[in-house]
Amino acid sequence: MGISKRLLGSLLGILFTGTVIAQGNHTFEIKDGQFIYDNKPVQIHSGEMHYARVPAPYWRHRLKMIKAMGLNTVATYVFWNYHNPSPGVWDFTTGSHNIREFLRIAKEEGMFVILRPGPYACAEWEFGGYPWWLLKDTSLVVRAYNQSFLDSCKTYINKLAEQVKDQLVSNGGPIIMVQVENEFGTYVSQRKDIPIAEHRRYNEAIHQLLLHSGLTGPFFTSDGSGLFDGGSLPGVLPAANGEGNVENLKKEVNKYHNNQGPYMVAEYYPGWLHHWTEPFPNIPIKRVTEQIEKYLTNEVNFNVYMVHGGTNFAFTSGANYDKDHDIQPDLTSYDYDAPITEPGWASSKYLAVRELMKKYVKYPVPDIPAQIPVITLPPIQLNRSMDLFDWKKTIRPVVADTPMNFEALNQGHGYVLYSKQFTQAVQGTLQVNGLRDFAVVYVNGKKAAVLNRVKKTYSATVDIPANGTLDILVENMGRINYGSEIVHNNKGIISPVQINDQPITGNWNMYKLPFTQQPVVHSGKQKEGKAALYSGTFTVTKPGDVFLDMHSWGKGIIFVNGHNLGRYWQVGPQQTLYLPGCWLKTGANSIVVFEQLNDSIEPVIPTVAKPILTELK
């Protein structure tokens, strides 16, 4: 069949205004101050979404949502630790690990993809994307020109390239650009103890590893506009994070890119990250639309970070820190006050941005896809339970003279119960200065104290009788993902436990509770104040998204049908946990809760129709 010149012209018009044609190889380059797609200028209107934070069955829905907001590109980090959970173990195929499937769907939906492979990501993700087990090698220094580290980076980058290099736009895929490292100029400013020449040597080494792997770019770097000197690379486009001043953006890019563009804001923030115990940040809609309109009228390319945040399922959330908090753990929800909410709904912010985009873009903006259904359930009854000390009897401990950290125990996440029996009575001040990050302290099975790195609470008064047992249940609340402290990320108890300033040594028993899979709850007893496992089943007639209301619980994690939904904590601001409907089954569904505090718990979980993310206690 033939094709009319008018129709051909229309198709080319769509192509050159930013929508990817699904078939055939194309070209994308940075040339003469512009992004050039198939020899024609194109503007990048991108939104960030991390495939690892969204259940795979929902990827297409979320990508349709992004496109219906008027964007033509999706940007995503690749989290090294998500695909490489232990040395030599790789997962690019199961569930949300299947990056090739994500790229395939993005291409089918007519979206460009910006790939951000790190190896450092930040992103409020556990350890900034680095695998925890790197910390086991004491000769290895992360994010530095260190041979052990660079060798590990090379392995990761090559493994990733095997999966995605045929998805570069030049090979017929949707990937148009690849980022080198991430916000490295910021790290340079934080690590003035390292010579700038060594920093630059490291940054270029990552660039070369990406290039030699077959991820041939075009490349870009991403930094605050005042930090390009530390983070930019010769011949690589510098893009700015959080830059609202167009003239300043152009001035800084010109300085490091042959006095020309293209000009891109690699991260424009329509919301912000959230920590436990702190108010939920909110960015007004008007401020968001005014800034995006400024980009559109000045032909500034941009990436909305985040357009859809998703969820930090399981133990994937990271942490920050400041002068008032030794750690600031991130919420399980990564809603981010983004235009597309955590469960994928179109917010008022989304609708406002969508109307704005429709005024400016030349390509068609599709209709908003239907919202995924939400269901509420009768209160879920948990009718089996077992306390921590019954569970302890079923676990074989590791024994050492002093407490061992998680990494020395070959454990990345979850909890460790540290136990020590005393032949003689002792009382006074217990000091756990090496606590990482949260602990419940028991004496002879009775709760004696709660220690908390967030509040810098590292000591408590204890009274241990002769032949008494001290138990310290320690939770890893997520490794720091940003700043100079990223190099100090061991978890558990990392220095000697003391009582009255005296180290307590000899026959420490360590019970590993990694929660790598949903535990089985055997019939047992549980008493108030003792950490405990609860389990039950609930019936679903027709699956849909669910929000578990955790107001009456203390602190812990929840599994449903084998999926770890992440942490809850009564302090807020998050009071619900998101349970995706795609993880439910028609009929009976299993649920297990590990409750760390267990103060006056009624073993019932109600459900609600909307998430509660802004309620501090």
Side-chain angles (χ1 to χ4, degrees), residues 74-297:
V74 60
T76 189
Y77 279 121
V78 182
F79 300 123
W80 177 1
N81 56 13
Y82 192 63
H83 294 286
N84 188 195
S86 58
V89 176
W90 297 89
D91 185 356
F92 288 103
T93 58
T94 67
S96 295
H97 298 84
N98 193 340
I99 186 173
R100 289 183 63 82
E101 178 67 5
F102 177 77
L103 295 171
R104 185 189 69 79
I105 295 171
K107 179 180 174 180
E108 283 187 356
E109 294 301 323
M111 302 288 285
F112 289 135
V113 174
I114 294 173
L115 195 71
R116 310 181 75 184
Y120 169 73
C122 185
E124 291 71 62
W125 187 268
E126 151 76 19
F127 204 3
Y130 292 138
W132 67 268
W133 44 265
L134 293 177
L135 297 167
K136 289 171 59 65
D137 183 351
T138 56
S139 71
L140 186 150
V141 182
V142 299
R143 221 172 180 195
Y145 196 85
N146 168 274
Q147 197 58 52
S148 295
F149 180 59
L150 289 174
D151 287 346
S152 295
C153 290
K154 181 178 181 180
T155 300
Y156 157 63
I157 289 170
N158 286 343
K159 285 285 187 181
L160 174 62
E162 289 173 8
Q163 298 294 320
V164 304
K165 63 186 176 184
D166 65 338
Q167 297 301 307
L168 295 171
V169 72
S170 57
N171 295 323
I175 300 172
I176 54 170
M177 288 196 292
V178 178
Q179 184 177 333
V180 181
E181 237 274 355
N182 182 53
E183 295 180 330
F184 191 65
T186 302
Y187 193 64
V188 169
S189 71
Q190 295 163 341
R191 295 297 308 274
K192 290 186 169 68
D193 55 311
I194 299 174
I196 186 65
E198 186 175 335
H199 277 310
R200 288 178 175 151
R201 192 179 179 198
Y202 161 75
N203 204 14
E204 181 56 38
I206 297 299
H207 180 208
Q208 291 301 317
L209 288 176
L210 290 164
L211 190 62
H212 292 154
S213 76
L215 296 176
T216 52
F219 296 110
F220 70 101
T221 59
S222 177
D223 273 300
S225 56
L227 299 166
F228 284 175
D229 189 58
S232 63
L233 289 164
V236 173
L237 175 70
N241 286 354
E243 181 57 76
N245 185 314
V246 172
E247 291 309 310
N248 192 57
L249 169 69
K250 292 181 176 179
K251 181 185 73 173
E252 292 300 319
V253 171
N254 287 348
K255 198 184 301 183
Y256 293 91
H257 198 247
N258 199 29
N259 207 37
Q260 62 181 3
Y263 306 106
M264 182 166 180
V265 175
E267 292 184 3
Y268 164 65
Y269 308 112
W272 196 241
L273 57 94
H274 321 125
H275 299 134
W276 292 107
T277 78
E278 298 176 20
F280 188 97
N282 179 268
I283 307 295
I285 295 171
K286 188 169 185 278
R287 190 194 308 175
V288 173
T289 54
E290 286 178 349
Q291 186 60 59
I292 291 178
E293 187 164 31
K294 191 183 296 185
Y295 295 149
L296 291 166
T297 55

Side-chain angles (χ1 to χ4, degrees), residues 143 186-187 190-191 193 321 480 482-488:
R143 221 172 180 195
T186 302
Y187 193 64
Q190 295 163 341
R191 295 297 308 274
D193 55 311
Y321 61 93
I480 287 167
Y482 177 83
S484 59
E485 284 298 303
I486 199 169
V487 298
H488 303 129

Side-chain angles (χ1 to χ4, degrees), residues 338-355:
I340 304 169
T341 66
E342 179 184 13
W345 303 348
S347 67
S348 298
K349 189 177 293 182
Y350 176 98
L351 297 174
V353 174
R354 182 174 189 268
E355 290 307 306

Side-chain angles (χ1 to χ4, degrees), residues 397-400 402-404 409 416-418 508-512:
V398 176
V399 182
T402 58
M404 297 167 64
L409 290 167
V416 170
L417 180 65
Y418 294 85
W508 278 93
N509 289 267
M510 285 147 284
Y511 299 83
K512 298 165 63 172

Side-chain angles (χ1 to χ4, degrees), residues 177-479:
M177 288 196 292
V178 178
Q179 184 177 333
V180 181
E181 237 274 355
N182 182 53
E183 295 180 330
F184 191 65
T186 302
Y187 193 64
V188 169
S189 71
Q190 295 163 341
R191 295 297 308 274
K192 290 186 169 68
D193 55 311
I194 299 174
I196 186 65
E198 186 175 335
H199 277 310
R200 288 178 175 151
R201 192 179 179 198
Y202 161 75
N203 204 14
E204 181 56 38
I206 297 299
H207 180 208
Q208 291 301 317
L209 288 176
L210 290 164
L211 190 62
H212 292 154
S213 76
L215 296 176
T216 52
F219 296 110
F220 70 101
T221 59
S222 177
D223 273 300
S225 56
L227 299 166
F228 284 175
D229 189 58
S232 63
L233 289 164
V236 173
L237 175 70
N241 286 354
E243 181 57 76
N245 185 314
V246 172
E247 291 309 310
N248 192 57
L249 169 69
K250 292 181 176 179
K251 181 185 73 173
E252 292 300 319
V253 171
N254 287 348
K255 198 184 301 183
Y256 293 91
H257 198 247
N258 199 29
N259 207 37
Q260 62 181 3
Y263 306 106
M264 182 166 180
V265 175
E267 292 184 3
Y268 164 65
Y269 308 112
W272 196 241
L273 57 94
H274 321 125
H275 299 134
W276 292 107
T277 78
E278 298 176 20
F280 188 97
N282 179 268
I283 307 295
I285 295 171
K286 188 169 185 278
R287 190 194 308 175
V288 173
T289 54
E290 286 178 349
Q291 186 60 59
I292 291 178
E293 187 164 31
K294 191 183 296 185
Y295 295 149
L296 291 166
T297 55
N298 288 278
E299 295 189 336
V300 171
N301 303 273
F302 60 87
N303 175 46
V304 177
Y305 187 104
M306 301 291 294
V307 69
H308 172 54
T311 309
N312 295 315
F313 294 114
F315 300 120
T316 59
S317 59
N320 294 297
Y321 61 93
D322 64 16
K323 60 181 175 60
D324 298 318
H325 309 87
D326 286 347
I327 195 168
Q328 296 168 291
D330 294 306
L331 300 187
T332 298
S333 171
Y334 199 59
D335 178 89
Y336 211 86
D337 189 29
I340 304 169
T341 66
E342 179 184 13
W345 303 348
S347 67
S348 298
K349 189 177 293 182
Y350 176 98
L351 297 174
V353 174
R354 182 174 189 268
E355 290 307 306
L356 174 67
M357 295 299 295
K358 286 167 69 175
K359 293 178 184 177
Y360 285 93
V361 300
K362 298 175 183 176
Y363 46 82
V365 176
D367 293 339
I368 302 171
Q371 180 177 305
I372 290 171
V374 174
I375 61 172
T376 56
L377 302 167
I380 299 169
Q381 306 289 326
L382 295 105
N383 49 22
R384 294 171 70 90
S385 64
M386 177 173 64
D387 77 31
L388 176 68
F389 297 97
D390 281 339
W391 195 18
K392 173 183 176 182
K393 296 171 187 175
T394 70
I395 302 169
R396 184 175 180 178
V398 176
V399 182
D401 191 53
T402 58
M404 297 167 64
N405 62 38
F406 275 41
E407 293 76 19
L409 290 167
N410 202 34
Q411 180 176 326
H413 312 288
Y415 307 77
V416 170
L417 180 65
Y418 294 85
S419 185
K420 164 72 178 167
Q421 187 171 20
F422 290 73
T423 55
Q424 296 182 342
V426 61
Q427 58 183 226
T429 301
L430 170 72
Q431 299 154 302
V432 193
N433 295 326
L435 174 65
R436 304 293 186 268
D437 300 301
F438 187 95
V440 184
V441 179
Y442 302 91
V443 175
N444 281 352
K446 184 177 181 180
K447 186 190 295 183
V450 174
L451 306 180
N452 187 340
R453 191 179 174 201
V454 178
K455 295 182 177 181
K456 301 185 180 182
T457 305
Y458 297 110
S459 63
T461 301
V462 293
D463 186 351
I464 305 170
N467 296 315
T469 300
L470 172 70
D471 287 286
I472 307 173
L473 176 64
V474 176
E475 176 192 10
N476 165 9
M477 290 201 69
R479 289 178 180 81

